[in-house]
Amino acid sequence: MKKSIFYHAGCPVCLSAEQDIIELIGQSNVEIVHLGEEKTKIDEAVKAGIKSVPALVTPNGNVLHINFGASIADVKG
Amino acid sequence: MKKSIFYHAGCPVCLSAEQDIIELIGQSNVEIVHLGEEKTKIDEAVKAGIKSVPALVTPNGNVLHINFGASIADVKG
């Protein structure tokens, strides 16, 4: 299966959701991207349709925004 | 593994997220509850911490609110 990608920005809500996602779908099935540390990936995240973090992009390209940690605008700033 | 519970209310956002969740974690690992059809379960959902649907309650009791379909207040009404 193609990997999902979990985008976050290090916020408490993000880290909690990250643990939940890893437990649910398995660490080997998800790539974790910390947009606060990898700012070059913000454009990629926006193109994928991400409006807030934490969010999961599924293997078929759907975006699941989970709870609400921070908007992408806040992450860019 | 204890099952996760996916609560929804039949909205388009809910049904899309339902498909994504089933593909990610497997149909056998998730119980689906349609709060529009099973209104007796709304109290249970609120007690679990659900504020909007679609939402997933993980086996350890965490709530992941996914995208945003409808608030619980709307589902009750």
Side-chain angles (χ1 to χ4, degrees):
Chain A
M1 190 171 80
K2 208 179 146 202
K3 277 193 182 192
S4 300
I5 308 176
F6 181 81
Y7 289 97
H8 73 108
C11 52
V13 169
C14 296
L15 298 179
S16 169
E18 179 182 338
Q19 282 311 307
D20 290 330
I21 291 294
I22 287 174
E23 280 170 33
L24 285 170
I25 70 178
Q27 182 121 42
S28 59
N29 294 321
V30 57
E31 179 188 346
I32 310 286
V33 175
H34 187 319
L35 291 176
E37 293 173 352
E38 301 183 74
K39 285 188 178 280
T40 55
K41 297 214 170 171
I42 291 177
D43 281 353
E44 169 193 305
V46 170
K47 272 181 201 149
I50 296 203
K51 295 184 173 64
S52 64
V53 287
L56 188 74
V57 180
T58 69
N60 60 18
N62 288 350
V63 180
L64 301 177
H65 295 97
I66 300 166
N67 293 342
F68 185 86
S71 72
I72 278 288
D74 291 335
V75 176
K76 280 181 181 172
Chain B
M1 190 170 81
K2 208 179 145 203
K3 277 193 183 193
S4 300
I5 308 175
F6 181 82
Y7 289 97
H8 74 108
C11 54
V13 169
C14 295
L15 299 178
S16 170
E18 178 182 337
Q19 281 310 306
D20 290 330
I21 292 294
I22 286 174
E23 281 170 31
L24 285 170
I25 70 179
Q27 182 121 40
S28 59
N29 294 321
V30 59
E31 179 189 345
I32 309 287
V33 176
H34 187 320
L35 291 177
E37 293 173 352
E38 301 182 74
K39 285 187 178 281
T40 55
K41 297 213 168 173
I42 291 178
D43 280 352
E44 168 192 306
V46 170
K47 272 182 201 146
I50 297 204
K51 296 184 172 64
S52 64
V53 287
L56 187 74
V57 179
T58 68
N60 60 17
N62 288 350
V63 180
L64 301 177
H65 295 97
I66 299 166
N67 293 340
F68 185 87
S71 71
I72 278 288
D74 290 336
V75 176
K76 282 181 180 172

